[in-house]
């Protein structure tokens, strides 16, 4: 009996170690909790995320409970200890992060957690290190080249209808892929949908017009990065913004300090001060700064329902977790019986492009 128990324990230990190695260095399962990437990725999609594509990131807080990210199950409390931490290091990968990749990363605004224990987010990388991004009337431009939203990307549409019009056939909307969450703005005559869905709505009896809703230029939204009224940026009119690249040197001004302050201080560990109109980094006066890491700009395909880089800025390279590669399961909580499983989405490869 003792030998059987010992063998059983050995098997458990081996299984835990093997699974941990696979999750850390090869591939890990994630789920989509929010609609920010619809229709490309939907709430209830279960993904496999490759650590090999960009290179596995070695653990930064190695003292942690297996298979638990932030909180211990049942009893609660932190699942990790910061008594022993390691610096950021990434093993070689197959490629670097590319424009339009669907990327899993650690949400960079959780300053109370170590980097590898910050909440996981998934967004599309619209701009990589060295790019200049600008959004004009909702259309993204990278290095002055327009990058249209894909056919399955959602945005907000203003809907004008005849007096007393209602969507009586909810089943018809469901077949189009329009959910209750997409309709939550309809009281304000707005619907979150794709251009393909908008074309179908336009053909409905009682609909007068369906047009994309664009936040006007110079209508400042204070919650938009970097929160500077002088820039007057909003969701649909943003930038131009240079995405920092490792080794690149930029001039420092009173304006761009607000943009790059967090990268210089929080992400790259420098002390930054302004005194008498002069800029000091680590107590040395300077007029330039050279970045130590690459950075990325992430956006959701559901453009008007995504907490992304337009709100909190850059994602540093040490926050990158991996690349979403395929959907192995998709679960619709609003479905009934066998329709709870989205059969057509199972084992779908997530292509690098937007279509």
């Amino acid at each position: 009996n003792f030998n059987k128990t010992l063998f059983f324990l050995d098997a458990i230990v081996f299984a835990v170690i093997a699974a941990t190695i696979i999750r850390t260095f090869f591939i890990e399962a994630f789920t989509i909790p929010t609609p920010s990437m619809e229709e490309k990725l939907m709430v209830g999609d279960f993904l496999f995320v490759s650590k090999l594509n960009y290179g596995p990131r070695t653990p930064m807080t190695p003292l942690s409970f297996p298979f638990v990210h932030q909180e211990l199950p049942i009893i609660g409390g932190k699942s990790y200890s910061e008594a022993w931490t390691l610096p950021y290091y990434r093993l070689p990968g197959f490629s670097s992060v590319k424009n339009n990749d669907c990327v899993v990363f650690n949400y960079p605004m959780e300053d109370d957690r170590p980097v590898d224990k910050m909440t996981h987010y998934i967004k599309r990388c619209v701009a990589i290190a060295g790019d200049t991004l600008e959004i004009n009337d909702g259309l993204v431009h990278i290095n002055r080249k327009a990058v249209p939203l894909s056919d399955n990307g959602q945005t907000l549409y203003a809907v004008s209808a005849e007096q007393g019009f209602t969507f009586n056939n909810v089943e018809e909307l469901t077949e189009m892929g329009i959910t209750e969450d997409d309709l939550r703005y309809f009281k304000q005559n707005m619907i979150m949908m794709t251009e393909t869905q908008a074309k179908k709505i336009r053909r409905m009896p009682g609909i007068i017009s369906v047009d994309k809703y664009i936040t006007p230029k110079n209508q400042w939204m204070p919650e938009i990065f970097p929160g500077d009224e002088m820039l007057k940026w909003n969701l649909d009119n943003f930038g131009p913004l240079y995405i920092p690249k490792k080794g690149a040197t930029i001039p420092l001004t009173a304006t761009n300090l607000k943009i790059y302050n967090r990268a210089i201080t929080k992400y790259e560990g420098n002390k930054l001060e302004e005194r008498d109109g002069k800029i000091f980094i680590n107590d040395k006066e300077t007029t330039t700064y050279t970045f130590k890491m690459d950075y990325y700009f992430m956006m959701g395909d559901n453009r008007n329902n995504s907490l992304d880089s337009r709100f909190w800025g850059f994602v540093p390279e040490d926050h990158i977790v991996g690349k979403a590669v395929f959907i192995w399961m998709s679960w619709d909580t609003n479905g009934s019986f066998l329709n709870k499983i989205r059969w057509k989405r199972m084992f779908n490869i997530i292509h690098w492009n937007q279509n």
Side-chain angles (χ1 to χ4, degrees), residues 31-59:
T31 186
I32 300 295
T34 69
S36 69
M37 286 295 290
E38 290 185 351
E39 298 271 312
K40 184 71 172 182
L41 299 174
M42 303 184 72
V43 173
D45 281 352
F46 292 83
L47 316 175
F48 276 131
V49 173
S50 168
K51 306 293 184 72
L52 294 174
N53 282 69
Y54 307 138
R57 182 182 62 184
T58 57

Side-chain angles (χ1 to χ4, degrees), residues 143-331:
N143 303 324
R144 298 186 177 180
K145 183 179 178 181
V147 183
L149 184 63
S150 67
D151 290 341
N152 57 17
Q154 290 185 322
T155 189
L156 202 57
Y157 284 79
V159 180
S160 177
E162 294 175 0
Q163 188 173 2
F165 174 86
T166 57
F167 287 106
N168 293 319
N169 193 342
V170 177
E171 188 174 320
E172 184 180 0
L173 295 177
T174 303
E175 288 175 358
M176 288 185 201
I178 297 175
T179 66
E180 289 184 18
D181 187 64
D182 299 329
L183 285 171
R184 63 195 171 103
Y185 297 97
F186 189 59
K187 289 181 179 178
Q188 289 80 42
N189 298 318
M190 302 282 186
I191 301 179
M192 198 83 69
M193 56 186 164
T194 68
E195 176 58 27
T196 301
Q197 292 164 344
K199 288 177 181 177
K200 293 179 180 178
I201 296 291
R202 288 188 186 104
R203 294 196 291 265
M204 285 185 169
I207 295 293
I208 298 171
S209 65
V210 179
D211 301 295
K212 281 186 180 179
Y213 175 78
I214 302 295
T215 307
K217 287 183 179 179
N218 297 321
Q219 184 175 310
W220 179 53
M221 297 176 67
E223 65 272 27
I224 294 298
F225 176 82
D228 185 356
E229 189 172 8
M230 297 296 293
L231 296 173
K232 290 184 167 56
W233 292 354
N234 60 49
L235 280 176
D236 297 313
N237 289 281
F238 182 100
L241 176 68
Y242 172 75
I243 314 302
K245 183 178 179 63
K246 183 178 180 179
T249 300
I250 63 167
L252 295 177
T253 66
T255 301
N256 73 10
L257 261 189
K258 295 174 182 177
I259 294 172
Y260 300 111
N261 184 297
R262 186 171 176 86
I264 294 170
T265 57
K266 174 62 181 175
Y267 302 145
E268 303 203 351
N270 297 291
K271 176 185 173 185
L272 187 150
E273 294 178 290
E274 290 183 79
R275 299 186 228 138
D276 302 322
K278 298 177 180 180
I279 299 169
F280 294 82
I281 295 179
N282 300 326
D283 296 319
K284 292 182 180 178
E285 185 181 348
T286 185
T287 57
T288 63
Y289 182 75
T290 302
F291 291 100
K292 302 173 187 175
M293 287 194 292
D294 285 334
Y295 291 81
Y296 305 95
F297 197 93
M298 308 290 186
M299 288 178 64
D301 287 357
N302 191 339
R303 290 291 167 81
N304 292 87
N305 192 17
S306 175
L307 180 64
D308 54 37
S309 286
R310 291 171 295 176
F311 291 87
W312 35 257
F314 312 111
V315 175
E317 66 175 68
D318 64 348
H319 286 54
I320 300 295
V321 174
K323 180 179 180 180
V325 288
F326 74 91
I327 301 166
W328 63 271
M329 175 67 171
S330 186
W331 185 261

Side-chain angles (χ1 to χ4, degrees), residues 124-139:
R124 188 178 296 282
C125 180
V126 295
I128 62 174
D131 284 345
T132 296
L133 172 140
E134 188 169 7
I135 305 173
N136 291 318
D137 291 333
L139 180 59

